[in-house]
């Protein structure tokens, strides 16, 4: 599974979309060198739910396996010299700073391609490399709101609701990895470098291709918000998440006649299959009302008996015990750098010959491989010692001190 063995990626990434996208490449065998400031990137200091284990951020833990760590002062000339040597040795430079930051450091696209004409330069930004919003802060919630996700997830008449996870960041990470791999394949054919740009805005819109395409063509609805429990404005009646006694159930493909039998609701049998879009609100209101008559287990059994597509709505505790999740090996253990405490994280999402790439290097202490990487770049031991002493390069004992 070392498909990218021999590919070196220099990663100047600091939070979710960038680190997570580059972790995909690391899982596939790329030599990823994560370059951080001497204080560590933002992802080491902020953690989802403010949860830290032995002082380590769980946000850092889920996106930094299989990477080597170099702590480097990029504001110093000596630090920039190290960065330039890295770029000259790399196949990919990846960064997710705001547009212009790398340019001000002297490490932007134009400077980097002079050092390495065959370099793949990949930038992940909030809104794109240029344009009226390029300097705005890019953050998942803001993009959910701007792109329509929060509206389409809300209910009529005017409720808006964000998705409960950083879905734009995560999809953007996958697109980041995909774009880099496409550019690497293109370089193998043309022997030319390439700039790859991925944005949170592009990722947020890409998540909604079905809904946006439907909206932009033909007659438009009065609102894209959900009518009642229906899952989306373009969904048929009876398609959505419905509350029952003790939980909720998601109901997918069905007909009014099937739902009439499953829910013991004769009124639903009066609707035809042609009504499922035209009379979405009426159908969904009846389904919502009658689901409440049953416990979750009773409702699941009734739906299964008629082969109606459905599932229980799981919380994270239930999901982690799901037999298919366990069978697929989606949850694995890795170690945190400070104390080696095991934490559970998600595995690489793709299988190759029915296997997932292994964790050969858990998330590392800041600067854990600084000496090793500088040695590979040709620095002698005394020069490395001097850079550490001058606080240009960081190593773990310095950080702990």
């Amino acid at each position: 599974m070392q498909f990218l063995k021999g590919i070196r990626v220099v990663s100047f990434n600091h939070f979710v979309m960038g680190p997570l996208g580059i972790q995909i490449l690391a899982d596939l065998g790329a030599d990823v060198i994560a370059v951080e400031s001497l204080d560590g990137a933002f992802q080491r200091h902020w953690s989802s739910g403010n949860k830290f284990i032995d002082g380590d951020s769980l946000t850092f833990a889920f996106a930094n396996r299989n990477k080597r760590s170099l702590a480097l002062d990029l504001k110093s000339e000596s630090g920039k010299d190290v960065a330039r040597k890295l770029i000259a040795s790399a196949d990919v430079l990846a960064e997710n700073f705001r547009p212009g930051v790398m340019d001000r450091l002297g490490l932007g696209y134009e400077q980097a391609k002079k050092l390495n004409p065959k370099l793949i330069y990949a930038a992940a930004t909030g809104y794109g490399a240029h344009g009226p919003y390029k300097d705005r802060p890019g953050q998942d919630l803001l993009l959910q709101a701007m792109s329509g996700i929060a509206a389409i997830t809300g209910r009529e008449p005017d409720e808006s609701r964000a998705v409960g996870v950083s879905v734009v960041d995560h999809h953007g990470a996958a697109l980041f990895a995909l774009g880099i791999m496409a550019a690497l394949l293109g370089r193998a054919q043309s022997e030319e470098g390439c700039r790859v740009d991925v944005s949170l805005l592009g990722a947020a819109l890409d998540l909604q291709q079905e809904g946006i395409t439907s909206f932009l063509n033909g007659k438009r609805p009065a609102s894209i918000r959900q009518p009642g429990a229906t899952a989306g404005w373009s969904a048929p009646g009876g398609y959505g998440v419905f509350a029952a006694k003790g939980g909720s159930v998601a109901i997918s493909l069905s007909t009014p006649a099937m739902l009439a039998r499953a829910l013991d609701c004769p009124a639903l049998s009066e609707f035809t299959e042609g009504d499922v879009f035209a009379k979405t609100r009426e159908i969904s209101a009846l389904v919502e009302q009658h689901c409440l008559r049953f416990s979750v287990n009773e409702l699941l059994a009734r739906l299964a008996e008629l082969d109606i597509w459905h599932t229980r709505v799981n919380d994270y505790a239930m999901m982690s015990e799901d037999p298919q999740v366990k069978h697929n090996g989606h949850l694995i253990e890795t170690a945190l750098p400070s104390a080696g405490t095991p934490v559970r994280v998600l595995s690489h999402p793709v299988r190759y010959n029915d296997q997932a790439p292994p964790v050969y290097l858990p998330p590392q202490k800041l600067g854990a491989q600084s000496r090793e990487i500088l040695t590979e770049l040709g620095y002698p031991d005394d020069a490395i010692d001097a850079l550490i002493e001058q606080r240009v390069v960081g190593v773990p004992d310095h950080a702990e001190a």
Side-chain angles (χ1 to χ4, degrees):
M1 283 172 280
Q2 298 285 292
F3 301 118
L4 298 180
K5 186 176 182 180
I7 298 295
R8 171 170 283 184
V9 180
V10 181
S11 172
F12 299 91
N13 291 282
H14 56 93
F15 197 65
V16 187
M17 178 166 68
L20 188 59
I22 299 307
Q23 179 175 267
I24 296 172
L25 308 182
D27 286 347
L28 296 176
D31 174 24
V32 173
I33 298 173
V35 181
E36 302 176 59
S37 69
L38 300 190
D39 295 326
F42 181 63
Q43 61 188 335
R44 290 186 186 264
H45 304 291
W46 192 96
S47 187
S48 180
N50 199 31
K51 292 179 72 173
F52 291 80
I53 306 297
D54 296 327
D56 288 311
S57 160
L58 294 179
T59 298
F60 173 74
F62 78 73
N64 286 280
R65 63 174 173 255
N66 296 336
K67 302 176 184 179
R68 297 193 288 167
S69 175
L70 170 63
L72 190 62
D73 177 11
L74 289 174
K75 295 179 180 179
S76 70
E77 284 305 313
S78 297
K80 290 175 184 177
D81 284 341
V82 174
R84 285 189 279 266
K85 287 180 182 291
L86 273 176
I87 292 168
S89 74
D91 297 283
V92 178
L93 183 160
E95 54 101 350
N96 74 325
F97 293 111
R98 288 193 198 183
V101 170
M102 290 292 281
D103 293 316
R104 290 193 292 274
L105 291 170
L107 304 173
Y109 174 61
E110 294 299 331
Q111 297 103 326
K113 71 177 184 180
K114 290 178 182 177
L115 295 168
N116 186 345
K118 293 185 179 181
L119 183 72
I120 307 301
Y121 187 104
T125 58
Y127 302 92
H130 37 73
Y133 294 174
K134 70 179 180 65
D135 295 324
R136 284 190 181 185
Q139 190 270 333
D140 195 281
L141 176 63
L142 303 180
L143 269 300
Q144 288 196 42
M146 178 184 171
S147 68
I149 291 175
I152 203 168
T153 308
R155 287 195 178 193
E156 291 184 344
D158 55 9
E159 176 190 289
S160 296
R161 187 175 184 85
V163 178
V165 296
S166 52
V167 61
V168 181
D169 267 318
H170 284 67
H171 184 54
L175 295 177
F176 201 32
L178 175 65
I180 291 169
M181 287 193 281
L184 284 169
L185 180 60
R187 190 186 69 174
Q189 299 167 343
S190 69
E191 297 190 356
E192 294 180 358
C194 177
R195 176 172 178 133
V196 176
D197 283 286
V198 177
S199 70
L200 288 172
L201 176 57
L205 296 173
D206 191 62
L207 281 167
Q208 303 172 83
Q209 289 203 38
E210 180 183 13
I212 290 173
T213 301
S214 180
F215 178 84
L216 293 176
N217 298 278
K219 184 179 179 181
R220 293 184 177 182
S223 173
I224 66 169
R225 289 171 173 82
Q226 299 181 28
T230 303
W233 67 270
S234 62
Y239 178 98
V241 173
F242 299 92
K245 295 176 183 177
S248 298
V249 173
I251 299 176
S252 181
L253 297 183
S254 61
T255 65
M258 294 165 68
L259 288 171
R261 292 171 58 193
L263 301 177
D264 193 17
C265 175
L268 281 168
S269 63
E270 298 175 10
F271 295 93
T272 68
E273 290 190 42
D275 291 330
V276 294
F277 284 100
K279 299 181 178 180
T280 293
R281 288 165 177 77
E282 297 94 321
I283 294 170
S284 292
L286 285 169
V287 174
E288 190 169 14
Q289 175 186 343
H290 284 267
C291 282
L292 287 168
R293 297 166 52 205
F294 305 100
S295 71
V296 168
N297 287 335
E298 289 171 339
L299 187 54
L300 292 173
R302 284 173 166 268
L303 296 169
E305 185 177 352
L306 293 172
D307 289 329
I308 294 173
W309 293 14
H310 70 283
T311 190
R312 181 193 299 269
V313 175
N314 286 340
D315 60 19
Y316 282 174
M318 297 161 70
M319 173 279 297
S320 65
E321 296 301 320
D322 185 274
Q324 188 66 44
V325 172
K326 287 184 172 182
H327 173 82
N328 289 353
H330 287 304
L331 300 176
I332 60 173
E333 282 195 351
T334 189
L336 285 169
S338 290
T341 301
V343 294
R344 298 177 77 192
V345 296
L346 287 160
S347 68
H348 184 88
V350 184
R351 298 299 180 265
Y352 309 91
N353 294 326
D354 206 29
Q355 290 187 331
V359 178
Y360 54 86
L361 195 65
Q364 294 292 288
K365 286 187 176 183
L366 179 60
Q369 286 79 33
S370 291
R371 285 183 175 275
E372 175 183 297
I373 293 164
L374 265 65
T375 298
E376 293 172 1
L377 292 176
Y379 284 86
D381 288 344
D382 58 347
I384 296 173
D385 291 338
L387 290 171
I388 293 171
E389 183 64 30
Q390 295 162 12
R391 300 290 290 173
V392 171
V393 171
V395 291
D397 51 351
H398 259 202
E400 289 165 6

